Amino acid sequence: MSDTPFGFGLPPEEPENGDEGKKKDPAGGGQGADGPSPANPFGFGSGQGADNPFAAMFGSLNPNDLGAAFQQLGQMLSFEGGPVNWDMAKQIARQTVSQGTPDGAKDESVGPAERTAVEEAVRLADLWLDGATSLPSGANTAVAWSRAEWVEATLPAWQQLVDPVAERVGLAMGDVLPEEMQAMAGPLIGMMRSMGGAMFGQQIGQAVGALAGEVVGSTDIGLPLGPAGKAALLPLNIEAFGKDLGVPKEEVRLYLALREAAHQRLFAHVPWLRSHLFGAVESYARGIKVDTSKLEDVVGQLDPTHPEQLQEALQQGMFQPEDTPAQKAALARLETALALVEGWVDAVVHEAASTRLTSADRLRETLRRRRASGGPAEQTFATLIGLQLRPRRLRDAARLWASLTDARGVDGRDGLWSHPDMLPTATDLDDPDGFVHREQLDFSELDKMLGEAAGGGTPKLDKGDKGDDGDRDEKDDTDK
């Protein structure tokens, strides 16, 4: 990849400042004798240039040269397919994968033996899960993916997750223009949004490509990133994950297959869950605001020959959630939903594996620590949509599901997934025992009501109730 990945650099033979071919001062003070003053590079009223982030980018250009520069940039950034250039994202992700991971491990095609091993692991995992959950198998097929195949298969889900935030960034890039230019800078705003799409495309491509080097399946972040009904594992990454654990490779593969198969069951048989999670992400994204002051600072110092500076700023993050009750509620709803998914999987897999795999406890704790230390999935999620997951919620949710299993059994625990309103809230995760006790009482009443309805209005009597006396009294009344 070249130093100017999007072709932003002006041709070498064209002077940057349009004045005698002199180079612009690196400090930003370069200007010709006849050029605009530093306080007013565009000539729009007095004193406006200091607050204009484009002054540092194009302040040394003559007005005529400015139009030519914008025309060149517009030709180079003609993408109009949305807030993110997903073609570029895919290309960058594939390039990142082909470069290998930092430890030097290159991607490679999955061989027949590895594919068979994954299929057998998922098949056995589903068999073990039958006794740990009332939800039936959700995996129609089991596949072994290379890193490149993971990128191809998950990009549609990333697009659904990232586009809402990218749209806000694109709008913000147009908003940094001074007000006096807004009315006459339609093409410029379009160019800026195209540039944002290109920058976001490269950022996402790099992030997804790097993530492909570390994920072990299609559900590592608690969201269904792959096609429905397809349990997927990455043999190369599974080998790297278990390298220093001192656990047999077969046990590592089987434990991770249990997690993948458990996720598949949940997403396959809780029909509202996928839209609920993605809707929560979108709701949260709508409340994100872009730090325009940071964006202005970056754009104001941007060297047109090094547009990757803006990309680096995007990678560092310029997203801030709005401090409003609605945004806080959206964040709590999303974090809770993700924690409940991961907590349920953790509890179910532990129940299925604890008596069968000697390394189950060690693998469980390794995965928990990986999440708690800000693993690649959380870091990528935070970078792309400005969301930091709280690992504390995952342990709380796992404890809640385990308590529910003890109190209500497998059917009672899994029955909570029948409707989103029946799930615990963020407050309930702070007091799992209180939720279990309270919900048990509520469900007893509900069961009684359902029993009455099923019996045509005849109450279902518990032992000890004086049903015979009641029947006798009713009969006596009839005889009378």
Side-chain angles (χ1 to χ4, degrees), residues 454-479:
T458 302
K460 182 179 178 181
L461 299 173
D462 295 331
K463 292 181 180 180
D465 286 348
K466 297 181 180 181
D468 292 341
D469 293 341
D471 291 342
R472 185 166 52 252
D473 292 341
E474 184 178 352
K475 183 177 180 181
D476 292 342
D477 292 340
T478 303
D479 291 340

Side-chain angles (χ1 to χ4, degrees), residues 7-217:
F8 279 49
L10 297 174
E13 67 273 14
E14 180 174 344
E16 284 191 10
N17 60 6
D19 179 25
E20 304 294 314
K22 295 179 181 179
K23 291 290 184 180
K24 182 174 123 179
D25 189 321
Q31 58 181 353
D34 299 328
S37 68
N40 189 9
F42 291 101
F44 292 105
S46 60
Q48 298 295 324
D51 296 328
N52 185 351
F54 291 95
M57 287 181 65
F58 304 111
S60 57
L61 289 172
N62 288 329
N64 293 335
D65 293 332
L66 180 63
F70 284 155
Q71 183 178 6
Q72 290 178 354
L73 291 174
Q75 292 172 351
M76 295 173 184
L77 295 171
S78 58
F79 174 75
E80 298 179 353
V84 178
N85 189 331
W86 287 102
D87 292 336
M88 177 177 292
K90 179 179 177 180
Q91 179 184 1
I92 297 298
R94 293 295 297 264
Q95 291 175 353
T96 303
V97 165
S98 67
Q99 293 170 1
T101 53
D103 62 2
K106 298 287 187 180
D107 191 24
E108 56 187 41
S109 300
V110 180
E114 291 171 321
R115 294 187 185 279
T116 300
V118 167
E119 292 171 358
E120 292 178 349
V122 172
R123 189 180 302 115
L124 181 57
D126 258 337
L127 181 63
W128 288 4
L129 288 172
D130 284 340
T133 174
S134 62
L135 300 180
S137 174
N140 300 323
T141 58
V143 295
W145 281 342
S146 66
R147 293 165 179 169
E149 289 174 320
W150 182 89
V151 168
E152 295 279 353
T154 62
L155 271 180
W158 286 115
Q159 182 172 356
Q160 188 174 353
L161 288 168
V162 175
D163 270 351
V165 177
E167 178 66 29
R168 297 185 68 84
V169 174
L171 293 174
M173 293 184 75
D175 291 341
V176 299
L177 284 170
E179 293 183 2
E180 61 269 21
M181 291 185 65
Q182 292 281 352
M184 56 184 299
L188 174 58
I189 294 176
M191 183 273 291
M192 289 294 293
R193 290 177 181 172
S194 295
M195 182 169 68
M199 294 297 186
F200 241 114
Q202 182 168 0
Q203 179 200 10
I204 293 167
Q206 290 177 341
V208 171
L211 189 58
E214 301 188 44
V215 294
V216 296

Side-chain angles (χ1 to χ4, degrees), residues 1-6 8 169 173 195-196 198-204 206-207 294-295 297-299 301-303 305-319 382-384:
M1 186 181 300
S2 67
D3 292 336
T4 54
F6 304 113
F8 279 49
V169 174
M173 293 184 75
M195 182 169 68
M199 294 297 186
F200 241 114
Q202 182 168 0
Q203 179 200 10
I204 293 167
Q206 290 177 341
K294 181 175 181 179
L295 183 60
D297 290 342
V298 172
V299 174
Q301 300 173 13
L302 185 64
D303 182 348
T305 63
H306 295 88
E308 64 272 12
Q309 294 173 0
L310 181 55
Q311 175 210 338
E312 292 172 358
L314 288 173
Q315 289 176 331
Q316 294 172 1
M318 57 179 63
F319 309 116
T383 299
L384 296 184

Side-chain angles (χ1 to χ4, degrees), residues 179-311:
E179 293 183 2
E180 61 269 21
M181 291 185 65
Q182 292 281 352
M184 56 184 299
L188 174 58
I189 294 176
M191 183 273 291
M192 289 294 293
R193 290 177 181 172
S194 295
M195 182 169 68
M199 294 297 186
F200 241 114
Q202 182 168 0
Q203 179 200 10
I204 293 167
Q206 290 177 341
V208 171
L211 189 58
E214 301 188 44
V215 294
V216 296
S218 69
T219 55
D220 280 32
I221 65 173
L223 292 170
L225 296 179
K230 184 173 290 188
L233 295 176
L234 283 71
L236 184 61
N237 293 353
I238 290 176
E239 183 175 357
F241 172 80
K243 184 178 180 180
D244 299 322
L245 295 180
V247 177
K249 179 179 178 180
E250 293 75 15
E251 288 198 20
V252 175
R253 182 195 301 118
L254 183 51
Y255 190 86
L256 296 176
L258 281 165
R259 288 184 53 83
E260 179 73 10
H263 278 104
Q264 293 296 332
R265 288 182 180 229
L266 194 58
F267 290 119
H269 298 291
V270 182
W272 54 265
L273 184 55
R274 178 185 175 90
S275 60
H276 178 76
L277 286 170
F278 279 76
V281 172
E282 184 175 355
S283 177
Y284 176 80
R286 282 197 300 267
I288 289 178
K289 62 181 180 180
V290 179
D291 188 351
T292 54
S293 63
K294 181 175 181 179
L295 183 60
E296 289 178 2
D297 290 342
V298 172
V299 174
Q301 300 173 13
L302 185 64
D303 182 348
T305 63
H306 295 88
E308 64 272 12
Q309 294 173 0
L310 181 55
Q311 175 210 338

